Amino acid sequence: MSVFSAQDLRDQFLKYFESKDHKIIASASLIPDNDPTVLFTTAGMHPLVPYLMGEKHPQGTRLASVQKCIRTGDIDEVGDTTHHTFFEMLGNWSLGDYDKIKAIDFAWEFLTKTLAINPALLAVSVFQGDENVAEDKVAFEYWLTLGLANAKIAKLGVKDNWWGPAGTTGPCGPDTEIFYWTGDQNKTPDNFDPEDKNWVEIWNNVFMEYNKTADNKFTALQQKNIDTGMGLERTLAVLNGVDDNYKTELFWPIIQELEKLSGKKYEEDKRSFRIVADHIRSAVFILGDNNGVAPSNKDQGYVLRRLIRRAIRFAKIIGIANNFTKILTTLIIKQYGPDYPELIKNQDFVNKEIEQEENKFVSTLEKGLREFAKQKTIDGKTAFVLFSTYGFPLEMTEELARENNIEINNQEFEAEFKKHQDLSRTASAGMFKGGLADDKQNTKRHHTAAHLMLQALRMVLGEHVEQRGSNINEDRMRFDFTHPEKMTPEQIQKVEDIVNEQINKKMPVSYQEMSVAEAKEYGAIGIFEHKYGDKVKVYTMGDFSKEICGGPHVDNTAELGSFKIIKEESSSAGVRRIKAQVK
Ligand code: SER
């Protein structure tokens, strides 16, 4: 039904920036290779973080891409016309190369010349300034010189016109956003009212000049960067004059298939149709990624599980009686395979895992819903039973409760959940119970070394390594961790070398208080035993180690001198014990 195809838009965008001396880079993996600050790639800038921070990019200082992204922060908004958990982002970057004037020029020329959008349909916002960073007068003035009326330029605050960092630390800066009028084209307003939903944001140009540090400071980056992002789905919809992203070619075949499977029309329950289409498309991209994961109860795997299970619940709502996921995954892979060949390569894995998850959940969903229907209020125990027996993610129970006007007590749920974890994790008892025997300088040094060593063990032995308890005093540290076999002398040497290398880097040690959810997002390791809402301390050592811990620690790794492993032995089944010292 579209007149402007997705492929046209991707091609035109990349061609335009290529003609402005940008090198085209491939979409990076959805699951970042080497960035523990986020679970998923959420923007095109993500794979470029080291280069925004000053490292040299092998392809130069002007780059452009079409990047696959996942954002689950907006999951509650999915169901409207413009929000998605998966989307493609068209982006261009200047790594300390061109300035914001040039970036605005490029954006304006691409929209109004290449795509031939009528300028009267466009409006923009700029950063109004705050106590950290001044108002962006340069961008404001420049938009005026391009012919935008004063009333079409809104000055907004941090909430609207500051972007990043993507995790809790990293590059960020003020931005200017470009909006498209999707209302009646004969009644294009003279004023830009950011609250009016007919103005849809299509492109964000970020002036990435700052780095947010773990202690909440904004420091100037070595270089002034440009980072832009334009949502493919939205832009395609507005270019084709449709008021619903799901009516573009990207979604319409999926919606039609759902109509066939359910015997219902899209118009009868658009929200449910959209949720199923959106979530299954995301599931295909997460499973089919080159770093793809299977559904699980942890990290990306848990996000995936929630997406699949929520899609299944809404598929039932629109009346799909039989298993359906494979029909959709096949369709989606066919549609996206030419642009994302990894989906074709991983097709068997995608189908096997999604069908397995569907079978697992379908068998308990009905019973769980019956159990739910019996409740007048949802207390912690019930929510927990729905989770552990019927596989209902907490949000699903919350959502069901909301739909049925039933109250739910989250804190109680968390308490139940924690009790359950405690029962099944007795081995970790005693961990992080306030940390140390004392806070003498030598004890602190051993404690800091323990953090470095845990990270080094995970690098050398693998991510299965978790701390299982420690005993630290002035003379030595004793440290237990999960690992199934004796370490080889080479592994021990490697761990020692890595720790000493980090000591020699003289890295600052700092901590930040944050919620458990934030600590997870930040990529901290440690046991997340706390209830949501509780603050935890996360200790950061350079860019090497981030760990939940009560402290105390030394201020700089240089204070450790040198590190030596004295002994490695068995502690109990599947748990090893190391004794080590700093000198
Ligand atoms: N990083 C910015 C965003 O995600 C621009 O790409 O909006």
Side-chain angles (χ1 to χ4, degrees):
M1 74 188 311
S2 303
V3 290
F4 207 108
S5 77
Q7 202 48 49
D8 276 347
L9 182 51
R10 292 187 194 105
D11 287 348
Q12 299 242 31
F13 182 85
L14 295 179
K15 235 171 65 203
Y16 174 83
F17 282 99
E18 222 172 359
S19 79
K20 305 289 176 195
D21 300 325
H22 289 63
K23 290 279 181 306
I24 308 307
I25 52 173
S27 174
S29 168
L30 263 183
I31 296 161
D33 284 315
N34 219 345
D35 185 346
T37 69
V38 288
L39 288 179
F40 292 104
T41 298
T42 58
M45 53 74 73
H46 225 101
L48 298 175
V49 169
Y51 311 104
L52 293 162
M53 305 281 286
E55 221 174 273
K56 278 215 161 9
H57 192 285
Q59 288 183 270
T61 52
R62 295 183 177 206
L63 307 171
S65 76
V66 179
Q67 173 65 47
K68 42 184 188 170
C69 302
I70 289 273
R71 284 189 191 174
T72 52
D74 286 344
I75 194 163
D76 281 337
E77 310 218 36
V78 174
D80 69 3
T81 55
T82 56
H83 284 89
H84 308 293
T85 51
F86 168 86
F87 64 99
E88 290 171 86
M89 185 183 274
L90 309 169
N92 59 287
W93 292 273
S94 152
L95 302 170
D97 185 319
Y98 51 87
D99 63 6
K100 63 171 86 168
I101 301 270
K102 192 102 199 124
I104 292 174
D105 261 340
F106 286 154
W108 192 247
E109 184 177 55
F110 179 69
L111 293 174
T112 60
K113 299 272 160 38
T114 311
L115 299 183
I117 292 177
N118 174 0
L121 299 173
L122 298 171
V124 304
S125 62
V126 298
F127 185 55
Q128 72 179 10
D130 71 355
E131 66 279 9
N132 293 315
V133 177
E135 175 189 343
D136 192 349
K137 288 197 178 128
V138 176
F140 179 79
E141 300 288 336
Y142 197 65
W143 282 120
L144 287 177
T145 66
L146 285 177
L148 251 94
N150 206 327
K152 286 276 186 71
I153 310 172
K155 293 181 181 175
L156 303 173
V158 169
K159 198 175 124 279
D160 297 287
N161 280 84
W162 183 276
W163 197 88
T168 39
T169 58
C172 52
D175 62 47
T176 186
E177 300 188 358
I178 305 173
F179 294 75
Y180 183 97
W181 174 253
T182 60
D184 186 343
Q185 299 220 345
N186 298 319
K187 289 191 202 144
T188 312
D190 295 332
N191 291 326
F192 168 41
D193 172 8
E195 297 296 318
D196 184 337
K197 293 275 177 269
N198 282 316
W199 286 109
V200 172
E201 183 214 329
I202 54 170
W203 200 347
N204 189 5
N205 278 243
V206 185
F207 311 128
M208 210 159 242
E209 301 174 1
Y210 298 90
N211 177 39
K212 187 173 175 206
T213 60
D215 52 359
N216 271 326
K217 293 213 172 73
F218 293 90
T219 55
L221 284 173
Q222 272 180 36
Q223 65 197 26
K224 292 186 172 179
N225 306 293
I226 302 295
D227 156 47
T228 92
M230 171 153 56
L232 177 80
E233 287 78 357
R234 281 182 189 192
T235 309
L236 189 65
V238 301
L239 284 174
N240 286 303
V242 292
D243 58 357
D244 176 352
N245 294 3
Y246 293 85
K247 288 189 176 164
T248 65
E249 57 161 310
L250 295 174
F251 281 104
W252 196 241
I254 311 176
I255 299 288
Q256 282 179 312
E257 188 60 49
L258 288 172
E259 286 188 329
K260 224 161 59 192
L261 289 165
S262 66
K264 279 220 176 71
K265 282 288 172 211
Y266 175 54
E267 302 298 323
E268 291 177 57
D269 184 356
K270 287 193 218 164
R271 178 166 181 267
S272 299
F273 272 82
R274 289 169 182 159
I275 290 173
V276 181
D278 172 90
H279 288 12
I280 298 292
R281 188 176 73 144
S282 295
V284 167
F285 273 92
I286 297 172
L287 285 159
D289 193 271
N290 277 335
N291 293 342
V293 296
S296 73
N297 277 339
K298 212 170 130 239
D299 301 338
Q300 290 95 346
Y302 193 52
V303 173
L304 173 63
R305 166 160 287 165
R306 282 154 49 204
L307 288 167
I308 297 173
R309 293 188 175 191
R310 190 156 181 256
I312 292 171
R313 184 168 91 77
F314 280 93
K316 290 271 173 273
I317 290 176
I318 57 175
I320 299 180
N322 299 319
N323 284 11
F324 68 98
T325 55
K326 191 175 165 189
I327 298 171
L328 290 197
T329 55
T330 308
L331 185 71
I332 295 166
I333 292 174
K334 198 160 146 238
Q335 178 183 341
Y336 281 96
D339 289 303
Y340 298 99
E342 66 273 20
L343 299 181
I344 299 173
K345 193 180 91 203
N346 299 322
Q347 181 150 15
D348 290 345
F349 177 74
V350 175
N351 287 334
K352 185 178 117 251
E353 290 296 336
I354 204 160
E355 283 198 298
Q356 207 169 302
E357 185 67 10
E358 185 174 25
N359 287 332
K360 216 186 272 178
F361 188 53
V362 161
S363 69
T364 60
L365 174 61
E366 290 297 327
K367 283 185 222 136
L369 287 173
R370 277 202 294 279
E371 191 59 40
F372 182 89
K374 287 189 210 149
Q375 312 297 325
K376 294 231 161 26
T377 60
I378 300 287
D379 60 13
K381 273 218 173 63
T382 316
F384 183 67
V385 169
L386 286 169
F387 171 76
S388 60
T389 311
Y390 302 105
F392 282 31
L394 174 63
E395 307 81 1
M396 187 177 288
T397 301
E398 274 181 317
E399 194 171 37
L400 278 164
R402 251 198 330 265
E403 286 166 12
N404 293 283
N405 264 328
I406 290 179
E407 227 175 288
I408 178 168
N409 185 334
N410 278 333
Q411 252 178 7
E412 246 185 70
F413 173 85
E414 291 300 335
E416 275 299 321
F417 191 69
K418 177 172 161 355
K419 231 192 276 168
H420 168 80
Q421 278 181 325
D422 285 350
L423 286 177
S424 55
R425 215 196 304 117
T426 42
S428 72
M431 228 185 120
F432 297 129
K433 267 219 185 98
L436 301 182
D438 58 66
D439 62 357
K440 295 195 182 92
Q441 177 63 8
N442 243 1
T443 311
K444 283 201 280 187
R445 291 168 71 214
H446 281 122
H447 189 197
T448 303
H451 280 222
L452 296 178
M453 187 178 80
L454 173 58
Q455 183 56 31
L457 284 167
R458 286 166 66 91
M459 287 162 68
V460 173
L461 303 177
E463 302 251 305
H464 61 276
V465 170
E466 282 176 13
Q467 183 169 349
R468 275 291 177 266
S470 65
N471 179 300
I472 295 172
N473 61 30
E474 266 192 295
D475 305 319
R476 54 109 185 101
M477 77 156 100
R478 201 182 75 201
F479 187 92
D480 294 351
F481 60 98
T482 49
H483 184 56
E485 60 202 17
K486 189 165 179 56
M487 286 173 70
T488 64
E490 293 76 33
Q491 288 170 334
I492 292 177
Q493 187 61 50
K494 243 193 188 149
V495 169
E496 254 183 37
D497 290 348
I498 293 175
V499 173
N500 281 313
E501 201 182 302
Q502 300 308 318
I503 293 172
N504 292 334
K505 276 196 195 157
K506 304 187 179 18
M507 298 184 305
V509 177
S510 62
Y511 75 84
Q512 197 189 354
E513 283 193 318
M514 55 181 97
S515 70
V516 173
E518 283 165 343
K520 275 190 190 164
E521 185 71 26
Y522 180 53
I525 54 172
I527 296 294
F528 295 93
E529 270 185 347
H530 308 257
K531 280 190 224 156
Y532 286 128
D534 272 7
K535 289 274 179 204
V536 292
K537 268 190 198 172
V538 174
Y539 270 87
T540 302
M541 305 186 181
D543 56 3
F544 182 74
S545 152
K546 299 166 182 170
E547 194 176 331
I548 293 186
C549 170
H553 286 277
V554 298
D555 297 326
N556 191 295
T557 59
E559 293 172 48
L560 305 188
S562 76
F563 167 83
K564 179 125 200 76
I565 293 178
I566 313 291
K567 203 172 184 184
E568 192 271 349
E569 61 191 354
S570 167
S571 163
S572 61
V575 179
R576 308 292 306 173
R577 171 168 292 177
I578 281 181
K579 287 188 184 136
Q581 280 176 327
V582 292
K583 283 231 162 53

